[in-house]
Amino acid sequence: MNRNLIDKLYKNTTLSGEEYTELIKNHAPEDAEYLFSLSRSVRQKYYGKDVFVRGLIEFTNYCKNDCYYCGIRKSNKNISRYRLSEEEILSCCDNGYALGFRTFVLQGGEDEYFDDDKICSIVRLIKEKYPDCAVTLSIGEKSCESYKAFFDAGADRYLLRHETATGQHYKRLHPPSMSFDNRLRCLCDLKDTGFQTGCGFMVGSPFQTAENLAEDMLFIKRLQPHMVGIGPFIAQHDTPFSQFASGTAELTLFMLGLIRLTLPTVLLPSTTALGTIHPRGRELGILSGANVIMPNLSPVDARKKYTLYDNKLFTDCEAAEGLEKLKAEMKSIGYEVVVDRGDCATVRGTGQNNK
Ligand code: SAH
């Protein structure tokens, strides 16, 4: 039983690297249940039973990078590439707004077609039409100047998963052209620019050890991001990692609980990847301390082509059209999907980018 360490984390909101490692390596199902009872109570304190939803718009699957795990990597010649036009993106927002979404997340590969001017123009259009909504960007590594330009155009939040906080592990997941230091530089620049900033990592990615996950916990404690996105690694058949086993729902849920106790007010999504490997993944994520769900607002045709990993869910509760079903599902476990920008509790009221 590792209750003492869980109690310590609850009390101090941090542990040493060795202690995190010990918990990640050795926890019985009863330990996990105990952890979740505490992580739910912390979540309840800051967010009640609210579940924030974000409308995810996957607007391009072109990418100049070649991450070994990712299905939209440049070298994958077997996927059909697409870009949404400005009109198509706005029409996704129109649908989303009518459904009750008050945050739009523009995510894509690192596609040079969408230069800073194009991104700023899209952000401005969305913010002009929907000033009561938050816009989140998730478009990878850019210069500090680009991040400033996006912020000045009105973007509120930025998601850039660090993927792993261990430099040596990062090297095994990415080609030599990509650098861990630059990823970290980007996260610091994003925070300095004024974005509500999100980092995150995959659980069960190839070569990952419990020590690596402990390093991720220490990293998020240092960075103090507003959001942390985590999900299980899931192999994609056209990538160099096609033969690796996927991460487990069990460990992903446990990590969600640890993150909630480490960063009590963090925005924590129960991700599509978690819903993909477990039929009740998204509900269980919420019951482990998560408070955000990101249904897909992309046109159905685009969803099928945005294949980061195999068997990605894109209908049913994962889809924006399935919002009623998602609401009912959340209600059945005692939670409520709300119509709200869903800012981080530490910046609520002041968090709006009013530029
Ligand atoms: N280009 C953007 C968006 C990347 S896609 C960026 O660099 O931030 C969003 C996230 O999907 C990635 O950060 C990665 O953590 C996750 N992802 C990619 N491939 C995956 C896979 N095979 N299994 C699980 N998650 C994956």
Side-chain angles (χ1 to χ4, degrees), residues 69-70 107-109 138 140 160-161 163 183 202 232-234 306 308-309:
Y69 45 86
C70 185
Q107 189 181 81
S138 179
L160 183 77
R161 291 189 178 181
E163 313 296 358
R183 199 93 182 158
M202 286 177 286
F233 160 76
I234 304 173
Y306 198 79
L308 302 176
Y309 47 80

Side-chain angles (χ1 to χ4, degrees), residues 81-150:
R81 304 279 172 176
Y82 73 91
R83 292 185 177 106
L84 300 186
S85 66
E86 219 168 65
E87 294 70 38
E88 285 171 311
I89 295 171
L90 269 179
S91 128
C92 293
C93 298
D94 295 341
N95 294 339
Y97 194 87
L99 288 165
F101 288 91
R102 295 296 177 266
T103 291
F104 302 115
V105 180
L106 296 177
Q107 189 181 81
E110 290 199 19
D111 179 358
E112 282 168 337
Y113 168 84
F114 286 100
D115 57 18
D116 290 0
D117 286 347
K118 288 201 180 70
I119 296 291
C120 287
S121 151
I122 294 165
V123 170
R124 267 190 231 104
L125 281 171
I126 300 175
K127 294 293 286 196
E128 268 161 31
K129 194 159 186 196
Y130 297 113
D132 54 335
C133 291
V135 171
T136 305
L137 294 175
S138 179
I139 53 175
E141 298 175 24
K142 307 276 173 180
S143 67
C144 188
E145 293 68 41
S146 299
Y147 288 147
K148 285 206 171 78
F150 303 153

